[in-house]
Amino acid sequence: MDKEQFDGADDLVGRSSEKREYSIGEILRERGVSRRDFLKFCSAMTAALALPAAFSPKLAQALDEVKRVPVVWLEFQDCAGNTEALLRAANPTVAELVLDILSVDYHETIMAAAGHQAEAALEKTFNDYRGKYICVVEGSIPMKDGGVYGCVGGRSYLDRARQICGSAAATIAVGTCAAYGGIPAAVPNPTGAVGVMEAVPGVTVINLPGCPVNADNLTATIVHYLVFGKIPDLDSHGRPLFAYGKRIHDNCERRPHFDAGQYVEKWGDEGHRKGYCLYKMGCKGPATFHNCPSQRYNEKTSWPVGAGHGCAGCSEPNFWDTMSPMYKRLPNVPGFGIEHTADQIGVGLAVGTAAAFAVHGALKALSKDKEPGEETKEG
Amino acid sequence: MQQIQVHEHCKLKRYIWELPVRWCHWVNALSLVILAATGAFIAHPFSVAHSASDFVMGWVRFIHFTFAYIFTISVVSRIIWAFTGNRYAGWREFFPMRTVKGREKLRDMFRYYLFMTHQVPETVGHNPLAATAYFAVYCIYLAMILTGFAMYALHAPGGAMYRAMGFMYAIFSIPMLHLVHHALPWLLLGFVINHIYSAWLMDIKEHGAEISSMFSGYKFTLKREHED
Ligand code: HEM
Ligand code: HEM
C-alpha cells in the first residue's frame, strides 16, 4: 500500500497522526471537558473497577498523562447491539469520554470511510501499532466449513480475527456472542459459531459478556489497561473479576424478598407490583455472574430485574441453551417430552413404587411362607 | 398336620451392626428427611412472609445447609467404616455379585421376592438385594453432596470450595446442577419406600428382629458365626 492511501485513511477517521501523541488529559481539555467532569468520570471508573475511593485522584493523574491507545472494533456475527449500547448512552459527556479515550481507527458501524479506504485504515493501525493496539470484537466467529459463513472485505471473519486479534496488545470480546458464541452458537449452531478465545487460541482475550455489554464495564476495562498497563484479573471464563466476580442473586435489590419468602407468583400479581423476588418466574440470577445490580444499564437507569423481569443469564457461556426455558427455574428434562418436568417424572416414579410395594406387601401378607429353618411346615 | 412354632427353633443372638453403622444409618435417615423437606421448600417455595424483614427462606436454607454438612460427615464416616468395620459393614457386602455364594443368596432372595418360592432366606448381614441398592444409594448421596456443594460454593466464587468444585462446573452448567440436585431425591424417595417396606417384610417373615437390629445391633439367626 502506498503512502498516499494511508494519509487518506487518516483524514477519513478525522485525525492526523501527530494527534495521537497528545495525552488523554490534553485531548479532553481541548474538547472542552471540564476538570470537574473529568474527575467525576474518574470516580465513576474507580467505583466500576471496585477500587477504593482513595484511588480516584491517582486514576485521574494517570489518565491525565497516558497516551491514547488505538482501537479497532471488528464486527462478526452480531446485531451491533453492543455498539448501540455504547453509542446510545444517555449522558453524552460520558459517551464522548469513552470515544475520546479510545482512538477508534476502525469501526464498521460508525466510521465515515467505506470500502478500500476503511480497509486501509485497519491495515495502517495493524502495521503501525502492531502489538500495541486494542482490538474490540463484537459477534461470534463461524468456524464450520472453513469459516465461509461470514466475510468482510473479501476475507472470512476467522481469517480477520486471526490476523487482527493475533497482533493486538489485547482483545476485548464485547457481548456474549464474541465471548462465547452467544445466540449464533445456540444448538444446533449451524455455522459452528464460537467466541474469540476459541477461534484464536493463545491470544490475550478479555471477555465482557452480556447482551449487550455494559458500556461502563468496557470503559473501565480500558481505563484499567491504560492506568495499570495490564489487563484486569480474570475469572475462569476470562471475565474481569471486578465486573463478574459476584453472583447477581447475591447483590440483587430483591434479595431480601427471596430470604423473607416473598415471591412473584404470576406476572402482574400483587407481589410483582410490590417488587417481590422473581425466583419462581425463572429468574437466572442465582446462576449468573455480573455486576448488573450495582452497575446497571444506560447510565445506571435500570436493569432487567430492577424493571421486573427475571435475569435471562445472558452473560454465562451457552446461556441460550443452558438457561432456557427463560420463564422456568429448572431446565426441561432431556430425553422426555417438553411437558414432563422432573417433578412429574418423580411423582410418577414414587407413586409407582409405592403402589407396586403395596400390592407386593398384601400378597406377601397372605402367603404362608416358611421362615428360615422351618422345613416341615406346609407351603 | 401340626404347626411348628417359632420357639421350637433356637436362634442365636449375634452382634451384627456396630455402633458407627447404626449411628450413621439414623443420622443419614434423619438428615435425608430434613434435607428433602427443606429442599422441597427451596424448590417450590410459597409466599409465607408478611414483611420483607422475615427470614423464612433464609432459615429453611440455613437448616438445609446445616444438615447438608451433618449428612456429608455421616456419609463420609460410613464410607471410611466400610474399610475399618466388621465384615457386615465392609465394602464387600455391597457387591454380592462378586462371589458365587453372594450370587446364590441374591438368586434366593430374588426368587422369594418374585413369589417363586415360599422359603424365606435367612440373611445375617445385609439383605443381598438391598445391599445392591445401597451401593446405588451411596452413589446418589455422593452426587447430591457434590452438586449441593457446587451450588453452595457459588456465593463465594474464587474461594477454596469454589475452586475445589471446579470440575463440577466443567461438567454441569449451573441450572443443570439444580436439575440433577432436584431430580435425584425422587430416586431416593423411591428407595426409601422400597427400603422401609422391605425392612417391614423381612422383619415379619424372617423373625430375626430385622428392624430392631438397626437400633440394637443384634440379629437372631440360626446360622452361627462362620456359617453364613
Ligand atoms: C440427599 C440429601 C439432599 C436432598 C434430598 C436435597 C434436596 C434439595 C432440593 C430438592 C433442592 C432444591 C433444588 C432446586 O430445585 O433448585 C435443594 C437445593 C439445594 N441444596 Fe440440597 N439436598 C440434599 C443435600 C444437599 C447437600 C449435601 C448440600 C451441600 C451443601 C445441598 C445444598 C443445596 C443447595 C446449595 C441448594 C440450592 C439452594 C438455593 O438455590 O438457594 N443439598 N436441595
Ligand atoms: C430416610 C430413610 C432411610 C434411609 C435413607 C435408609 C438407608 C439405609 C442404608 C443406606 C442402609 C445400609 C446400612 C449400612 O450398611 O450402612 C440401611 C440399612 C437398614 N435400614 Fe435403613 N434407611 C432409612 C430408614 C429406615 C427405617 C425407617 C428403618 C426401619 C423401619 C430402616 C431399617 C433398616 C434396616 C433394618 C437396615 C439393615 C437391613 C439390611 O441391610 O439388610 N431404615 N438403611
Side-chain angles (χ1 to χ4, degrees), chain A residues 273-296:
Chain A
R273 290 197 296 276
K274 285 184 173 166
Y276 287 178
C277 174
L278 294 156
Y279 180 74
K280 294 177 82 171
M281 305 309 287
C283 176
K284 303 302 184 302
T288 309
F289 295 81
H290 207 169
N291 60 356
C292 307
S294 49
Q295 201 60 34
R296 304 176 151 222

Side-chain angles (χ1 to χ4, degrees), chain A residues 12 22 31 39 76 81 120 128 215 221 229 255 291 295 307 316 324-325 346 350 358 367 375:
Chain A
L12 277 157
Y22 287 103
R31 297 273 170 106
L39 292 178
F76 297 136
D128 293 0
T221 304
R255 180 59 186 263
N291 60 356
Q295 201 60 34
E316 293 298 311
S324 53
S367 87
E375 253 64 68

Side-chain angles (χ1 to χ4, degrees), chain A residues 19-29 38 41 58-69 100-102 222-230:
Chain A
K19 250 196 179 165
R20 288 217 177 87
E21 303 311 316
Y22 287 103
S23 78
I24 285 169
E26 285 166 321
I27 293 162
L28 292 181
R29 274 193 291 284
F38 177 63
F41 170 75
K58 290 197 187 120
L59 202 92
Q61 194 188 351
L63 267 186
D64 248 346
E65 287 159 10
V66 91
K67 305 279 186 294
R68 301 201 296 184
V69 253
D100 275 325
I101 289 170
L102 315 178
I222 290 173
V223 167
H224 187 286
Y225 179 75
L226 293 177
V227 171
F228 298 104
K230 58 176 180 147

Side-chain angles (χ1 to χ4, degrees), chain A residues 55 57 137 166 274:
Chain A
F55 245 94
V137 175
K274 285 184 173 166

Side-chain angles (χ1 to χ4, degrees), chain A residues 279-280 343 360 364 369 376, chain B residues 4 44-45 112 182 197 205:
Chain A
Y279 180 74
K280 294 177 82 171
D343 288 339
H360 194 269
K364 278 292 180 199
D369 290 333
T376 49
Chain B
I4 295 171
H44 302 284
Y112 174 67
H182 183 105
Y197 166 72
K205 293 292 186 183

Side-chain angles (χ1 to χ4, degrees), chain A residues 35-87:
Chain A
R35 187 72 191 160
R36 189 184 158 79
D37 279 345
F38 177 63
L39 292 178
K40 261 161 79 179
F41 170 75
C42 288
S43 31
M45 282 303 114
T46 311
L49 285 167
L51 294 170
F55 245 94
S56 186
K58 290 197 187 120
L59 202 92
Q61 194 188 351
L63 267 186
D64 248 346
E65 287 159 10
V66 91
K67 305 279 186 294
R68 301 201 296 184
V69 253
V71 170
V72 295
W73 184 299
L74 305 181
E75 285 184 63
F76 297 136
Q77 291 190 124
D78 72 328
C79 64
N82 299 290
T83 297
E84 284 290 326
L86 183 69
L87 296 180

